[in-house]
Amino acid sequence: ATHSRMGKWNMGKIYVGIDHSLSGTGIAILGDKGGLICLETVSGESTGSSVRHRVWRFRGLSDSVSEVVQRYIGNGVTIQVCCFEGYSFGSNKAHHSAIIESGYEVRSRLVSLVAGSIFEVAPTTLKKFACGKGNADKSAVVSAMTKKHGVEFGNDNEADAYALALVAFSIGEAVDPGNEAARQALAVVV
């Protein structure tokens, strides 16, 4: 399943945010001026619970993420900074191994595509960057990102991916994110 919004751009570098999730991975790509050029959600199809089915699902998700990102690189365009959201295990202990396995597939695939730096942003740090509170819930992040940036998100994974892309842009272009909580969050990442 794919949900996509794309804009036009003209640059030599892009900034990528990936919010990996088993239910839907959010991808946001910003251009060299910070404008949103891609906001998309991809998911891996679940066809069973065996080890083989899990591996195929995770590889499919990894392929989908890679395909989206590859649309925007090449011909002199490179990924300057890529930020992944760090693992959040919450209360669903049964899915911990699946989250790690799937996250590894996505990360290992993207590492070869990123020319610049790669950062992992802890969920609490991302929330602090996005809305000023490290313990905010998902709806607060979506609301804050929509209000501050005027972007309508299809789901919370897209809002997180957009916030991650903004972290990447702020790092790559040495841009002040505009408030003390976000500056503190950036200081933790770099």
Side-chain angles (χ1 to χ4, degrees):
T2 298
H3 175 261
S4 177
R5 282 169 274 159
M6 295 177 278
K8 294 184 179 191
W9 76 102
N10 181 15
M11 72 292 205
K13 53 190 170 183
I14 58 174
Y15 299 91
V16 178
I18 306 286
D19 178 43
H20 169 258
S21 170
L22 293 174
S23 62
T25 295
I27 304 164
I29 302 175
L30 304 181
D32 61 353
K33 304 287 188 237
L36 180 64
I37 58 172
C38 175
L39 185 61
E40 190 162 333
T41 300
V42 297
S43 60
E45 299 300 322
S46 180
T47 58
S49 61
S50 71
V51 171
R52 177 170 283 129
H53 287 108
R54 277 197 337 257
V55 169
W56 287 339
R57 177 183 179 195
F58 302 156
R59 284 191 182 157
L61 176 61
S62 173
D63 289 346
S64 295
V65 171
S66 178
E67 287 169 12
V68 169
V69 172
Q70 286 184 50
R71 284 187 228 146
Y72 300 94
I73 60 176
N75 295 321
V77 177
T78 60
I79 300 171
Q80 185 73 17
V81 180
C82 179
C83 288
F84 291 96
E85 185 172 18
Y87 295 113
S88 174
F89 297 112
S91 60
N92 194 347
K93 292 183 185 348
H95 286 36
H96 286 190
S97 63
I99 291 167
I100 292 169
E101 291 170 12
S102 180
Y104 171 80
E105 277 290 332
V106 171
R107 285 164 170 78
S108 65
R109 185 70 179 271
L110 281 223
V111 162
S112 65
L113 300 178
V114 178
S117 301
I118 302 172
F119 295 93
E120 191 166 78
V121 181
T124 54
T125 303
L126 181 63
K127 290 173 184 180
K128 187 170 186 174
F129 179 88
C131 62
K133 294 182 183 178
N135 62 350
D137 64 16
K138 292 177 181 290
S139 64
V141 172
V142 173
S143 177
M145 296 302 292
T146 299
K147 184 177 178 181
K148 185 173 182 181
H149 300 283
V151 176
E152 292 294 324
F153 301 100
N155 54 58
D156 59 83
N157 298 317
E158 288 182 1
D160 284 353
Y162 184 66
L164 288 161
L166 289 169
V167 169
F169 178 75
S170 295
I171 292 169
E173 295 292 326
V175 172
D176 183 344
N179 65 68
E180 187 56 31
R183 283 190 286 278
Q184 289 172 0
L186 275 180
V188 171
V189 176
V190 295

